[in-house]
């Protein structure tokens, strides 16, 4: 399964090609579903995505998009089929606040921690091998805001 913000294959490192219409990675130079020219992952991810009430599914039928969730303060990291509730404490493959991460071999044993700083939630990296990223930038310490994209090793989440 390829995360929605991957420009490169996490197995071999090869740059992925994306269909701008289907919004999925494909092989070759042309999408076998809609015929659109495929574009390199870096170019696709750098292009702005126009938000709207509808999205196109892989079979090109229009389905209602998710209703935006607006909250004042983030409460969770959502992705990979998980909802990781924000709470203070360490996280990593060896345990901590999110035991779900123990199943990912790319997460360091003591990967990082979440701390509360006033009204803000802050994510900190503890010198992990594969890093912690917020909105594509490797971080040591970063305040989390709704909508931020967080990558813990190879796992991608959205702050909600």
């Amino acid at each position: 399964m390829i995360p929605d913000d991957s420009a490169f294959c996490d197995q071999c490192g090869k740059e992925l090609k994306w269909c701008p219409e289907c919004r999925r990675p494909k092989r070759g130079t042309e999408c076998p579903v809609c015929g659109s020219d495929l574009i390199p992952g870096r170019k696709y991810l750098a292009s702005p995505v126009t938000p709207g009430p509808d999205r196109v599914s892989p079979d090109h039928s229009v389905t209602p998009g998710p209703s935006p969730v607006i909250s004042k303060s983030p409460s969770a990291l959502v992705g990979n089929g998980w909802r990781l509730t924000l709470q203070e404490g360490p996280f990593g493959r060896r345990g901590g606040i999110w035991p779900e991460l123990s199943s990912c071999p790319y997460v360091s044993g003591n990967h990082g921690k979440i701390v509360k700083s006033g009204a803000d939630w802050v994510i900190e990296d503890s010198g992990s091998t594969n890093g912690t990223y917020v909105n594509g930038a490797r971080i040591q310490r970063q305040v989390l805001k709704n909508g931020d994209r967080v990558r813990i090793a190879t796992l991608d989440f959205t702050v909600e």
Side-chain angles (χ1 to χ4, degrees):
M1 184 172 197
I2 298 172
D4 288 343
D5 63 348
S6 294
F8 299 92
C9 174
D10 65 350
Q11 299 296 313
C12 70
K14 185 176 179 182
E15 185 169 29
L16 300 171
K17 301 282 187 166
W18 285 80
C19 174
E21 295 299 318
C22 298
R23 296 184 179 180
R24 297 280 181 250
K26 308 282 183 181
R27 292 183 182 185
T29 57
E30 189 176 281
C31 178
V33 176
C34 69
S36 295
D37 289 334
L38 299 181
I39 58 176
R42 286 179 288 179
K43 184 177 178 184
Y44 171 78
L45 294 172
S47 64
V49 176
T50 306
D54 298 311
R55 65 175 187 264
V56 178
S57 67
D59 67 356
H60 296 288
S61 60
V62 177
T63 58
S67 300
V69 176
I70 300 173
S71 67
K72 293 181 182 180
S73 179
S75 63
L77 299 180
V78 179
N80 303 288
W82 298 327
R83 180 177 183 84
L84 306 178
T85 302
L86 292 177
Q87 54 190 311
E88 286 193 295
F91 62 88
R93 197 177 63 253
R94 286 191 220 127
I97 57 174
W98 300 320
E100 296 90 339
L101 300 181
S102 65
S103 64
C104 181
Y106 299 104
V107 173
S108 293
N110 179 24
H111 199 94
K113 64 181 176 177
I114 299 290
V115 296
K116 186 81 167 162
S117 178
D120 295 325
W121 286 104
V122 178
I123 189 166
E124 296 180 359
D125 187 89
S126 298
S128 66
T129 302
N130 292 310
T132 303
Y133 297 78
V134 175
N135 298 323
R138 190 166 184 160
I139 59 98
Q140 291 301 314
R141 179 179 167 86
Q142 179 74 40
V143 173
L144 295 174
K145 294 181 177 48
N146 284 322
D148 281 347
R149 294 182 337 266
V150 174
R151 173 171 275 195
I152 298 171
T154 59
L155 303 172
D156 293 308
F157 301 94
T158 300
V159 178
E160 292 184 353

